[in-house]
Amino acid sequence: MEMRVRPTPERPGPALLFGAALLTAGPAAIHFAVAPVHFEEYVPFGLFFVTVGALQLAAAAAMLFRPSRRLFLVAAAGTAGLIGLYLVSRTVGVPVGPHPWRPEMVGFPDIACTAMELVALPLFAVAAFRRPRPRRRHPVRVALAAAPATLLAVALTYVGTGTASAGMPAAYSVAPAVSGQPSTSVDLLTAPPGDEPVRTFTLTARVARVDGRDAWTYDGSVPGPELRVVQGDRLRVTLVNHLPASTTIHWHGVPGLPNAEDGVAGITQQAVAPGHSMTYEFIASAPGTYWYHSHQDTGNQVSRGLYGVLVVEPRTGPTEDRDYTVVLHNGVAGGVAANGTSELHLAGRPGERVRLRLVNAVSPGMDGTPQAPVLLGAPYRVVALDGRDLIQPEELGPQRIPIGMGQRADLVFTMPVSVCVRLVDTESQIHSSGVQSAIGSLAGAANLPSVTVGEGTRPASPRLDALPAFDPLQYGAPAADPVSAAHVDASYPIVISEQPGFHNGSIQLVHEINGAASPNIPPITVREGQVVRLHIVNDTAEYHPMHLHGHTMSVLSRNGEPVTGSPVRLDSVLVGPNETWDVVFLADNPGLWMFHCHVLLHASFGLTMPIDYAGITTPYTMGTRSGNMPE
Ligand code: C2O
Ligand code: CU
Ligand code: CU
């Protein structure tokens, strides 16, 4: 018998084999992790990913236990093919599936996977063509040699599978209709017919050059046009979409807004596609300062410029000689602007009564810091917050007035004789004394807008950082507020926390409510007529202006201390770092409503949840299939 000892010459070093196997198993795991979403999207895609995953897993096992030149040649060819297919799918798109020739988005899972495949490819080539090397190596040296590939594979597999399994779903519904169960679709929750005077507006969403940059605008300006109507008017607003993306309009803060007009993509409507239009209709029943903005891909679209103000004047006519809106917002060319400029000058003559409607549309940094303007030059009253009047507001001297993103504050004063009135922005001052604001103070310190009313010399400015902050809970006179006095029918904790993690297919500072991030936060279900209490606990060092669509929240207390002044009725409650707020609302507007942080970054990182009325359903879905992404 022939005794030929083969010195296992075909085997490349064990470290190489191990590395190659791990860098093949990693992509296999990621392909398995993305398969469910692809099955939802298109079954053949799902099958493709499962098959590729299985083949890669088998190849990884074979690399360890039965390596051969043929195996590595096949692996190299297959991997090169996958990389090629990936590049095609992300550039021109693949010819099959629900969206032929439409490039897919680049995401964390596919980057992690492709990175491993790119590193594996040369390893396969070396393994296939390396000269026989019959020497034995010490196990420690083997481990050291395999370490880089191992670390790379483990890290990328962790990121890839983590982000893939927390991917944005293809389609999900906050309240799907269940066959056999009686229900009302949001589509039916429209304004009742009536003979109110009709005010018609058209807002064209389009890209326009503003301050030398491309902005996303309504009618070519940032902010968009101010819509001014009289209490009791019926608004008919047509949104024409000339943007390269789908969009909507949400009517932020309008009391009694019919749910079908709420403008939330994937809940109350399908986002309006480019080239299409849609008309919103509702009755402006309550006077006040409101605003409107896109609620599709909101964080992105609002920061690009899609917002404007809606003022509803009282039926009894204006109460001041001059009535101005001052929108604080991100300047298109950077910094904070007021009504589109860094130097806003408003007319006013001595003795005239002036109302300034302040709107905070500034997208803050991660800390969510509010704007905190100070009015100098005249005593003033804060007559309304979020468009809801305060009772017997007293005159105030210079104070910082915190206004969270999305909130509004109306100030009224009489023009002084010889000085002008100035609104000074103190965001940077708050930042420098604030909790944790390195990022925010840099962002906020650039070009604070100057807002001046009237002529005359500039009023003297006190040290802004030493000024007290306006406290809405101890201002004005107590008065009956039926909602905050009512028996509470249902009470819910809203505990806000944050931690780094996987969310919506990427790595984020995930923001959670009661330990879950959207879309995994279970909805609160209410019934019409209920008085619902929310116990909001902020376990973070950030500000969270918590906004409830379609309703008014009455503040009960902050950190357990009750409201001692006027009732405070808001659509957005500014919950400061580590504060606890108790609010109640009357469930008087059936529909499916969002409750979310108006720091849009936080909302997109998970801080948004539905508050649903029992029996209301939606035909719309959110997710990659419909393209509806309300955050
Ligand atoms: Cu102003 Cu849901 O937003
Ligand atoms: Cu809103
Ligand atoms: Cu927040």
Side-chain angles (χ1 to χ4, degrees):
M1 193 187 252
E2 210 180 11
M3 294 289 289
R4 224 180 70 192
V5 177
R6 293 249 236 98
T8 56
E10 298 286 317
R11 305 203 93 182
L16 181 60
L17 290 178
F18 188 66
L22 269 187
L23 289 167
T24 307
I30 295 176
H31 286 137
F32 286 129
V34 298
V37 166
H38 286 288
F39 268 115
E40 273 187 80
E41 185 192 10
Y42 183 52
V43 172
F45 283 174
L47 290 172
F48 172 80
F49 282 101
V50 169
T51 308
V52 169
L55 287 174
Q56 287 178 314
L57 210 54
M63 286 171 198
L64 289 178
F65 302 113
R66 320 205 70 200
S68 69
R69 168 166 298 174
R70 167 118 61 84
L71 171 66
F72 283 108
L73 289 177
V74 170
T79 302
L82 283 177
I83 295 172
L85 183 59
Y86 172 73
L87 292 178
V88 168
S89 72
R90 297 309 192 269
T91 49
V92 290
V94 291
V96 293
H99 308 294
W101 301 120
R102 191 206 283 171
E104 281 176 64
M105 300 244 286
V106 175
F108 278 82
D110 44 87
I111 289 177
C113 183
T114 307
M116 280 190 275
E117 290 168 348
L118 280 170
V119 178
L121 201 52
L123 294 190
F124 296 160
V126 171
F129 294 112
R130 170 173 277 184
R131 303 241 53 126
R133 286 208 297 175
R135 66 205 159 86
R136 283 195 78 85
R137 280 185 152 197
H138 193 273
V140 172
R141 296 193 53 187
V142 173
L144 280 179
T150 307
L151 283 178
L152 187 75
V154 168
L156 289 177
T157 304
Y158 175 69
V159 168
T161 54
T163 52
S165 45
M168 186 179 281
Y172 67 103
S173 165
V174 291
V178 179
S179 71
Q181 275 179 29
S183 65
T184 305
S185 162
V186 292
D187 279 341
L188 300 173
L189 302 173
T190 54
D195 54 5
E196 299 81 8
V198 175
R199 295 290 310 277
T200 308
F201 300 93
T202 299
L203 293 173
T204 302
R206 60 183 173 90
V207 180
R209 228 36 207 169
V210 177
D211 292 339
R213 315 228 173 160
D214 276 342
W216 287 21
T217 71
Y218 295 114
D219 290 3
S221 67
V222 177
E226 174 175 314
L227 309 184
R228 226 173 226 271
V229 300
V230 174
Q231 179 185 12
D233 283 351
R234 175 179 292 263
L235 273 86
R236 219 167 259 164
V237 188
T238 300
L239 162 65
V240 179
N241 184 9
H242 287 170
L243 294 171
S246 62
T247 192
T248 69
I249 299 181
H250 165 63
W251 306 95
H252 179 127
V254 173
L257 186 77
N259 194 222
E261 315 300 325
D262 201 34
V264 180
I267 299 182
T268 65
Q269 67 169 90
Q270 171 69 35
V272 179
H276 291 247
S277 62
M278 155 163 185
T279 300
Y280 296 89
E281 180 164 327
F282 56 93
I283 299 158
S285 51
T289 308
Y290 310 106
W291 65 305
Y292 62 91
H293 60 78
S294 163
H295 225 306
Q296 156 72 348
D297 191 12
T298 315
N300 175 40
Q301 296 200 353
V302 167
S303 54
R304 284 170 181 261
L306 289 173
Y307 47 82
V309 173
L310 168 64
V311 172
V312 181
E313 292 176 350
R315 191 179 280 125
T316 48
T319 40
E320 286 77 32
D321 302 310
R322 299 194 183 254
D323 186 325
Y324 293 117
T325 300
V326 178
V327 191
L328 301 173
H329 63 105
N330 297 93
V332 175
V336 174
N339 298 0
T341 167
S342 57
E343 256 173 76
L344 181 65
H345 199 107
L346 304 166
R349 277 192 297 272
E352 283 180 338
R353 274 169 54 83
V354 178
R355 177 183 287 243
L356 291 187
R357 302 173 183 266
L358 308 182
V359 180
N360 181 8
V362 178
S363 295
M366 189 60 84
D367 55 15
T369 307
Q371 295 296 311
V374 174
L375 190 91
L376 300 175
Y380 60 94
R381 299 170 204 270
V382 181
V383 299
L385 293 173
D386 284 1
R388 282 101 175 151
D389 284 352
L390 296 170
I391 309 297
Q392 293 181 35
E394 307 100 5
E395 272 199 344
L396 296 173
Q399 293 199 357
R400 295 181 281 123
I401 303 177
I403 309 173
M405 165 50 153
Q407 293 188 305
R408 289 87 64 211
D410 289 22
L411 313 187
V412 169
F413 55 87
T414 301
M415 280 304 293
V417 177
S418 60
V419 294
C420 64
V421 169
R422 294 187 70 213
L423 193 68
V424 193
D425 187 325
T426 59
E427 197 199 17
S428 57
Q429 277 84 2
I430 285 205
H431 273 304
S432 49
S433 59
V435 207
Q436 44 117 241
S437 358
I439 311 165
S441 65
L442 291 175
N447 322 322
L448 300 180
S450 140
V451 179
T452 316
V453 190
E455 308 305 322
T457 55
R458 291 190 157 197
S461 174
R463 265 197 55 199
L464 296 176
D465 54 357
L467 291 178
F470 171 70
D471 183 2
L473 273 61
Q474 306 178 10
Y475 182 65
D481 174 24
V483 176
S484 55
H487 166 78
V488 171
D489 298 300
S491 197
Y492 298 94
I494 304 285
V495 180
I496 300 168
S497 61
E498 63 175 358
Q499 68 195 43
F502 300 117
H503 181 249
N504 272 352
S506 71
I507 302 169
Q508 297 175 347
L509 189 51
V510 182
H511 280 62
E512 298 183 327
I513 292 178
N514 303 335
S518 72
N520 300 318
I521 307 173
I524 287 176
T525 304
V526 303
R527 261 166 249 285
E528 188 169 4
Q530 280 186 326
V531 173
V532 180
R533 189 174 75 117
L534 302 176
H535 177 66
I536 308 171
V537 179
N538 180 1
D539 275 348
T540 73
E542 302 166 345
Y543 286 88
H544 303 292
M546 297 301 294
H547 170 55
L548 175 58
H549 284 210
H551 294 78
T552 300
M553 297 175 282
S554 290
V555 178
L556 295 179
S557 62
R558 178 189 52 218
N559 299 331
E561 310 224 345
V563 172
T564 56
S566 163
V568 182
R569 302 165 67 248
L570 306 168
D571 56 66
S572 307
V573 178
L574 179 61
V575 183
N578 294 107
E579 286 180 348
T580 297
W581 287 63
D582 282 278
V583 301
V584 274
F585 68 91
L586 171 64
D588 59 357
N589 194 3
L592 305 173
W593 303 99
M594 287 183 93
F595 178 53
H596 65 92
C597 180
H598 222 287
V599 175
L600 300 170
L601 197 59
H602 297 171
S604 71
F605 285 179
L607 200 38
T608 173
M609 66 174 292
I611 295 190
D612 299 343
Y613 282 63
I616 309 290
T617 58
T618 177
Y620 307 106
T621 59
M622 295 175 267
T624 50
R625 188 184 299 149
S626 63
N628 291 321
M629 294 168 190
E631 288 121 40

